[in-house]
Amino acid sequence: MKRYFVWMLSLFCIFASSAQTYSVVDTDETEISFHSTRKMVCKRKRTVTVLHEKGKNAANFYTNYNEKISALSKFKGVVTDFYGNVIREVKQNNMVRSEYSKELASDVYHYVYEYFPSQYPYTITYEWEETYEDAILGFPAFLPQQAYNQEVKHSSYRLVMPVDMDCRFKQMNCDVEIVEERTPKGEKLYKIQMNELPALVEEPYAPEKKSLFPYIFSVPLEFSFEKTTGKMENWATYGAWLYSLLEGRDELPKVLVEQIKEMTAGCTTDYDRVKTVYDFLASTTRYVSIQLGIGGLQPELASNVYKTGFGDCKALVNYTYSLLKVLGIPSIHAVISTDNERLMADFASANQTNHVILQVPLPNDTLWMECTSPTLPLGYVHSSIAGHDALLLKQEGGKLYRLPTYADSLNKRINRAQLQLEASGRANISVQQQNKLFRYEEMMGFKNASVKNQIDFLRSFITLNHAEISGITCKEQKSAYPSMEISYQVYTQKYGNVTGKRLFMPLNVFQGRFSVPEACAERTQDVVITNGFLDEDSIEIKLPKGYEIEALPAVKDLVTPFGEFQTKFDLREDTLLVVQRLNVRGGRYPKEMYNDFREFRKALSGLYNTKIILRKLE
C-alpha cells in the first residue's frame, strides 16, 4: 500500500504540474487469440488515471457489437481514488446496453458506461473479453493513445494465430518493432509494445487525429465472413470478394423494366438517360441506413428497394446500377470513405471505407453518382468525396481510383450589395449573394428552410446589431458546377455612427466575423486548411446628401503562401464602390509557418473591420 501511495504521489506531482496532461494511460493491454477464420477472442485491459475534469471522457467505456457475429462475453471495472481505495466496482449490468441507432435497421448494439467523478485524480480499470464468430475481416486495431492531452505509460499488443495462417500489419504515425515468436503450442505469436508516449496537445488548424496518433492495423490474409470466404492480400482481392456479394442482386420486376424503357424512349444521349434515371431515383426513393446482410456489406436486392422505396448507400447504388443496366449503360460500384481522403495503397482493410457511390463511365465524361442524395446535381462531386480515393468493384478485382476535385478559386461566395446611406446613419441595402460548388453545398438547405430560419441564417453573415431582413428570394442552378443565388433586403437604423459633423461607417459588414486562431507557445503540428475558397464582396455605397469622404482605410494587398487579399476603391461623384477579394488556398503547411498564418488571419480581420469616415459639408 505504501509503495502504491508513493507511486501515485509521484504520478500526481509530475502530471498535476502540467496543464497539458489531463489523463494518463497507465496500462493498455490487448491479447487476441485468432483460433481460425471463423473464431476469435480478444481480451482487453485498460487502466486510466484522470487528473483533470477536461480528461474525464477518457474514463468512459464505449463499444459496439453485431449480435450475429460478435459479443461482449466478460466485463468488469473498478474505480480507485488517489490513495488506492476502491470507490466503485463496475459490472456489466451497470452499463447501458442500447440498440438505438440512426439506422432504420441494424444488427448493431452498444455498451456504454460513463463515470461521473466527485474528485480528482482517480483511476479506473476496465477488463473485458470479446468474442467473434464467422465475421473476421480484420483484427482489433492497436490504439494505445485515444485522446488529446493524454500520456501513455505502457501499452502492449499480442496476436496469437495458427502457424499455417498469415496476417499483415500496417503502422501509422509510428515505427516500432513487431516481434514474431512461437508459443509453447507452436502457434505464431506477434508482440508489440509502445511505452512513454507524451501527451499531444490539440492545436487549431491541425491535421486530423488519425494522422497524428500512433496506431497499428492488422488483418488476416484469408477470411471467412457469414458463409463466404475471401482474401485480404491487397485491394484487388478484397474488391473481388466485395464484387462477389453483388451477384444476383440486380434483378428488377418486369413492370419497372418497361417503365424505365418507356421513360427514356425520347432520350437521345446516354447522359440524358442517366439523368432520367437519377431524377426517377430522387422522386421515388429515400435514403435510410440499414446495417444488415453480410455485416452490412451486401446490398439489399434491387427488387426490394423498388418495393419499399428506401435503402442505404449500397442498396441505392445497386438499385441505380440495375436501372442503368436495363438501358445498356454500364456502371461500377465504388467503395469510398467520407472521412479518409487517402486509402492506404499498400494495405487493404475494410475499416478504411464507410460509403458506396456509383461510377458511370460515359464516352465523353465520367459521372459520379451520389445515390443517397439525388437532390445533388448530377455530375457534381460533393465535398465529402471530392479528391478522395475509391475502390472500384470489378469482376477481375478491386482497383483504386482517385475522384476529381475542384480548384480552390471555384468555391466562391460573391456578395453584390447596393447601399443607400442616410445622414442619420440609417441604411437600406440590397444584396445579391452567389454561392458556388462547396459554398453551394453549405447553402443547400436554405431554399426549403422556413422564412425565420432563412432570416436568422442571413443575419449570421452580417455584422450589424440591428438588421431587419426581408424580400428573400432564392434561385438554384443544378449543374455539374452548381450555384445558389440569394437576394434579400436589409434595413438598419444604425449602419453608421454620427459624431458631430462626422459619420463613421463600416467598410464591409459581410466579413466582420473573420476569426484569428489562438497563439501556440510551441507549435508541434502542421497547419491544415481543409478547403480553399474565394470570397468577393462588392459594395456600392450611395453617400448621403451633404457629406463627403474624409478618410478611407489604407489600401493594403496581401500576398502570402496561404492566399491573397485585395481592396479597391472607386469614387464616382456621390457613389463609392468598395471591392474586397480574398482567395484562400487549401493545403498542408509546415508547423513553422503557424505564426505567419496567424498574422495572415489577423491582417485579414483588421482589413475587413476598418471604417470609412464621412464629413458633413459646411
Side-chain angles (χ1 to χ4, degrees):
M1 180 65 187
K2 180 179 179 181
R3 187 175 175 183
Y4 178 82
F5 173 76
V6 171
W7 178 82
M8 282 295 293
L9 181 61
S10 173
L11 181 73
F12 180 67
C13 291
I14 292 173
F15 294 114
S17 64
S18 172
Q20 304 300 319
T21 300
Y22 303 146
S23 65
V24 180
V25 177
D26 305 307
T27 302
D28 180 77
E29 298 175 351
T30 301
E31 183 168 341
I32 301 168
S33 298
F34 185 50
H35 299 293
S36 70
T37 59
R38 298 184 182 276
K39 186 176 181 181
M40 178 174 69
V41 177
C42 178
K43 297 180 180 180
R44 295 289 309 274
K45 180 179 180 180
R46 188 173 176 87
T47 300
V48 180
T49 297
V50 180
L51 305 171
H52 192 281
E53 183 182 8
K54 292 183 179 180
K56 65 181 181 181
N57 288 339
N60 297 335
F61 183 89
Y62 172 85
T63 188
N64 59 71
Y65 302 96
N66 185 308
E67 62 183 9
K68 290 184 177 180
I69 57 181
S70 58
L72 180 66
S73 51
K74 294 180 182 179
F75 176 86
K76 66 178 181 179
V78 60
V79 184
T80 57
D81 64 13
F82 173 70
Y83 302 100
N85 300 316
V86 175
I87 300 174
R88 177 173 299 176
E89 292 185 352
V90 186
K91 299 180 180 179
Q92 190 162 332
N93 59 10
N94 296 135
M95 294 192 293
V96 175
R97 185 185 190 277
S98 173
E99 296 181 7
Y100 170 78
S101 172
K102 62 183 179 181
E103 289 85 23
L104 173 68
S106 176
D107 291 325
V108 176
Y109 62 93
H110 314 274
Y111 275 115
V112 180
Y113 178 76
E114 291 184 86
Y115 178 65
F116 299 96
S118 59
Q119 60 185 15
Y120 294 91
Y122 65 90
T123 299
I124 190 163
T125 298
Y126 295 114
E127 293 185 66
W128 70 100
E129 184 176 293
E130 303 163 326
T131 57
Y132 299 84
E133 298 282 348
D134 193 28
I136 307 168
L137 286 176
F139 304 125
F142 183 34
L143 302 168
Q145 195 170 35
Q146 300 177 10
Y148 285 107
N149 304 95
Q150 180 181 81
E151 292 200 14
V152 178
K153 303 303 290 181
H154 170 73
S155 59
S156 65
Y157 186 89
R158 292 166 57 91
L159 171 61
V160 178
M161 62 190 308
V163 71
D164 60 344
M165 301 191 68
D166 294 310
C167 66
R168 296 185 70 202
F169 292 91
K170 179 66 175 181
Q171 300 192 44
M172 299 300 296
N173 312 313
C174 60
D175 184 13
V176 297
E177 183 182 11
I178 300 175
V179 179
E180 181 179 353
E181 298 178 352
R182 290 289 186 271
T183 68
K185 296 181 180 180
E187 301 165 301
K188 288 181 180 178
L189 169 61
Y190 296 94
K191 299 193 300 184
I192 306 171
Q193 284 196 43
M194 296 183 73
N195 301 318
E196 305 301 333
L197 299 178
L200 188 65
V201 179
E202 187 171 10
E203 298 174 338
Y205 288 90
E208 296 178 301
K209 281 172 50 175
K210 62 191 170 206
S211 67
L212 300 173
F213 287 22
Y215 60 94
I216 299 177
F217 287 146
S218 54
V219 295
L221 294 192
E222 297 182 358
F223 60 84
S224 300
F225 203 93
E226 293 194 29
K227 300 181 181 179
T228 69
T229 59
K231 294 184 178 181
M232 196 67 77
E233 295 175 348
N234 48 49
W235 289 111
T237 58
Y238 177 52
W241 176 72
L242 289 174
Y243 182 87
S244 71
L245 302 183
L246 306 175
E247 185 178 354
R249 309 193 76 78
D250 59 355
E251 294 184 8
L252 296 171
K254 291 183 179 180
V255 62
L256 177 58
V257 171
E258 295 304 318
Q259 181 182 356
I260 290 298
K261 289 181 177 179
E262 184 178 342
M263 289 173 57
T264 57
C267 297
T268 57
T269 67
D270 279 350
Y271 178 89
D272 293 336
R273 295 181 184 91
V274 174
K275 180 68 165 59
T276 301
V277 168
Y278 192 62
D279 292 342
F280 174 75
L281 188 72
S283 62
T284 59
T285 65
R286 60 190 176 93
Y287 168 77
V288 178
S289 186
I290 303 172
Q291 302 303 319
L292 301 174
I294 312 295
L297 297 172
Q298 186 177 56
E300 184 58 82
L301 294 170
S303 56
N304 286 346
V305 176
Y306 171 66
K307 291 177 185 177
T308 62
F310 60 76
D312 61 4
C313 60
K314 58 187 177 293
L316 293 173
V317 162
N318 185 60
Y319 183 54
T320 309
Y321 164 88
S322 306
L323 294 172
L324 294 177
K325 185 178 179 181
V326 167
L327 302 175
I329 300 175
S331 59
I332 302 170
H333 295 67
V335 181
I336 197 168
S337 172
T338 56
D339 298 325
N340 304 318
E341 186 174 354
R342 299 279 81 86
L343 301 180
M344 293 180 282
D346 61 345
F347 186 84
S349 63
N351 58 1
Q352 293 183 60
T353 60
N354 63 0
H355 191 44
V356 184
I357 59 176
L358 191 66
Q359 184 199 56
V360 187
L362 298 180
N364 299 319
D365 189 17
T366 296
L367 299 177
W368 298 91
M369 298 180 69
E370 179 55 87
C371 302
T372 61
S373 184
T375 54
L376 285 166
L378 180 63
Y380 172 61
V381 183
H382 62 87
S383 60
S384 294
I385 58 174
H388 286 212
D389 292 338
L391 178 66
L392 303 182
L393 306 186
K394 300 183 177 182
Q395 186 172 11
E396 62 270 23
K399 182 180 180 181
L400 292 182
Y401 190 102
R402 186 163 298 175
L403 271 66
T405 189
Y406 306 97
D408 292 337
S409 58
L410 296 178
N411 300 316
K412 296 181 181 179
R413 174 165 291 140
I414 301 172
N415 287 304
R416 300 277 188 263
Q418 297 81 42
L419 190 151
Q420 182 71 52
L421 183 64
E422 298 180 14
S424 63
R426 292 191 294 264
N428 286 284
I429 313 171
S430 296
V431 185
Q432 300 82 43
Q433 184 187 90
Q434 189 176 57
N435 304 275
K436 295 187 175 182
L437 296 180
F438 294 173
R439 291 297 183 78
Y440 159 82
E441 278 186 61
E442 296 172 9
M443 306 298 292
M444 278 190 63
F446 183 87
K447 188 175 182 180
N448 297 320
S450 67
V451 173
K452 180 183 181 303
N453 287 341
Q454 287 181 341
I455 290 173
D456 290 343
F457 187 75
L458 292 175
R459 190 180 282 120
S460 69
F461 281 107
I462 304 171
T463 55
L464 291 172
N465 293 328
H466 306 283
E468 299 176 14
I469 295 177
S470 62
I472 301 172
T473 62
C474 186
K475 182 181 179 182
E476 184 177 14
Q477 180 183 339
K478 302 184 74 170
S479 66
Y481 291 86
S483 68
M484 182 78 74
E485 297 179 11
I486 301 168
S487 298
Y488 59 98
Q489 303 293 317
V490 181
Y491 171 74
T492 176
Q493 295 186 19
K494 198 172 183 180
Y495 189 85
N497 292 317
V498 179
T499 303
K501 295 181 179 181
R502 287 173 174 80
L503 177 58
F504 297 83
M505 57 178 290
L507 177 65
N508 187 344
V509 298
F510 300 103
Q511 298 284 358
R513 293 185 174 89
F514 210 87
S515 63
V516 179
E518 63 186 31
C520 295
E522 185 178 350
R523 182 76 179 191
T524 63
Q525 300 150 26
D526 287 345
V527 179
V528 174
I529 302 175
T530 305
N531 290 318
F533 59 86
L534 173 64
D535 278 355
E536 187 174 300
D537 302 302
S538 177
I539 307 165
E540 187 179 275
I541 305 169
K542 185 78 170 178
L543 304 181
K545 289 183 179 181
Y547 277 81
E548 65 178 1
I549 295 176
E550 181 179 72
L552 290 173
V555 175
K556 183 179 180 181
D557 294 346
L558 297 177
V559 179
T560 78
F562 314 104
E564 298 84 30
F565 176 84
Q566 291 178 326
T567 298
K568 292 182 180 180
F569 298 110
D570 185 10
L571 179 61
R572 297 183 182 181
E573 297 180 352
D574 62 348
T575 301
L576 174 66
L577 178 64
V578 180
V579 178
Q580 292 192 300
R581 190 176 190 272
L582 170 63
N583 184 24
V584 172
R585 284 193 286 272
R588 184 165 180 155
Y589 302 87
K591 62 183 181 181
E592 292 79 10
M593 297 180 69
Y594 181 68
N595 286 334
D596 295 334
F597 176 66
R598 287 192 71 246
E599 290 302 315
F600 174 62
R601 300 279 301 191
K602 188 185 297 184
L604 289 174
S605 179
L607 291 168
Y608 276 132
N609 285 284
T610 53
K611 300 284 186 181
I612 297 173
I613 304 175
L614 305 182
R615 184 180 62 192
K616 190 174 183 179
L617 297 172
E618 298 295 339

